[in-house]
Amino acid sequence: MKALIFAAGKGTRLQPFTNSHPKALAEVNGIPLLERNIKYLQSFGINDFVINIHHFGEQIVDFLKLKNNFGANIEISDERNELLETGGGLIFAKDFLSSEEDFLIMNADILTDINISDFVKSHLESQNFVTLAVSDRKSSRKLFFDDHMILKGWKNVGTGETRMASTNVGFKELAFSGIHCINSAIFNKIKRTGKFSIMEEYLDMMMTERIVGYEHHANLIDVGKPESITEAEKIFL
């Protein structure tokens, strides 16, 4: 299975490092996040990658060249002209992914030890349209799932804003882990263009498509702030 790694973001929460570097090259115990995630996915047999770039994107290109792409097949989705967020970034990378029946997406600033093989197997065996890795942890945004782990809504914890597919009848609230497995039919379903979040499309599609949560209990850290690097260094050696 091919994996798309989102590495284009500006990483403003990681300043001052991101004032002169892409956040994907922030180091945890001396190893850049991007290197950790490429090797992590390789450990589950994934060796075909698409990596999107924008903020100091040339540093990512040079880094990969220096490391001989870690022996992987890597294609660059170059968004240096315009940062397109996750939804726009996915559409921009369409030519690299549309020939795949299903593919994996992972944020470059997520560190986890989820068993990716089990995650992908669940997606394929259940024939889900989209499978979202989720867990019960503190987050500024939560997703709602019914008893069958079908996506039913979203909530901004800070503002109270919600998007619901149906009345909340004791739905489970879980946080998105930044890892998703997607059927390539999604390219025929997405309606937005330009710069947008893929979650906006998921919340539209939950009315008609099978978007399922895969709950895990693995370690997971969003390495978005300097203090989260310190936290990550205690777990990911």
Side-chain angles (χ1 to χ4, degrees):
M1 182 173 286
K2 186 175 281 191
L4 168 61
I5 298 179
F6 284 134
K10 293 183 177 179
T12 53
R13 294 180 299 157
L14 263 182
Q15 291 173 341
F17 177 81
T18 49
N19 288 336
S20 54
H21 304 88
K23 68 176 177 179
L25 295 186
E27 296 183 352
V28 170
N29 286 322
I31 303 172
L33 295 172
L34 184 61
E35 177 175 345
R36 284 183 173 274
N37 280 324
I38 289 172
K39 289 181 175 179
Y40 162 66
L41 293 174
Q42 284 178 319
S43 74
F44 293 100
I46 294 172
N47 206 45
D48 294 298
F49 298 90
V50 179
I51 299 173
N52 77 339
I53 62 170
H54 173 81
H55 186 63
F56 293 107
E58 66 283 353
Q59 292 186 29
I60 291 177
V61 172
D62 291 344
F63 173 72
L64 292 170
K65 189 179 297 182
L66 179 67
K67 298 290 186 174
N68 295 314
N69 285 351
F70 300 98
N73 303 311
I74 296 179
E75 297 166 300
I76 297 296
S77 184
D78 192 341
E79 294 178 30
R80 277 178 285 186
N81 288 336
E82 182 183 10
L83 182 61
L84 296 169
E85 294 189 17
T86 52
L90 173 58
I91 292 295
F92 195 76
K94 177 181 177 180
D95 289 347
F96 299 116
L97 299 165
S98 55
S99 62
E100 305 291 314
E101 189 168 349
D102 297 88
F103 55 90
L104 186 77
I105 297 180
M106 182 173 186
N107 295 348
D109 56 356
I110 292 292
L111 287 185
T112 185
D113 52 12
I114 295 172
N115 187 309
I116 288 294
S117 295
D118 289 348
F119 175 64
V120 169
K121 181 180 178 183
S122 175
H123 171 81
L124 296 176
E125 288 185 349
S126 301
Q127 297 184 319
N128 298 335
F129 184 68
V130 175
T131 304
L132 306 173
V134 292
S135 64
D136 185 8
R137 68 182 195 281
K138 186 177 179 181
S139 175
S140 61
R141 291 167 178 79
K142 290 293 184 74
L143 297 175
F144 294 104
F145 297 92
D146 67 12
D147 291 342
H148 302 287
M149 288 301 289
I150 305 295
L151 181 64
K152 292 295 179 180
W154 167 94
K155 176 174 73 173
N156 182 317
V157 175
T159 66
E161 179 189 358
T162 59
R163 290 270 307 275
M164 303 298 296
S166 61
T167 303
N168 190 341
V169 287
F171 292 150
K172 198 168 196 176
E173 293 186 29
L174 297 166
F176 179 44
S177 298
I179 302 170
H180 17 166
C181 207
I182 301 176
N183 187 278
S184 62
I186 196 168
F187 291 116
N188 298 321
K189 305 278 187 179
I190 291 176
K191 297 181 174 63
R192 290 174 178 82
T193 58
K195 180 179 179 178
F196 64 96
S197 166
I198 190 59
M199 189 56 68
E200 295 178 57
E201 286 289 335
Y202 290 162
L203 295 174
D204 287 349
M205 293 178 187
M206 71 181 172
M207 308 298 292
T208 57
E209 306 297 336
R210 183 179 170 83
I211 300 180
V212 177
Y214 177 91
E215 187 175 4
H216 67 88
H217 304 283
N219 289 308
L220 186 139
I221 296 179
D222 175 357
V223 189
K225 296 176 286 188
E227 56 265 33
S228 58
I229 289 180
T230 303
E231 183 184 357
E233 288 184 332
K234 298 173 185 175
I235 300 171
F236 299 95
L237 304 178

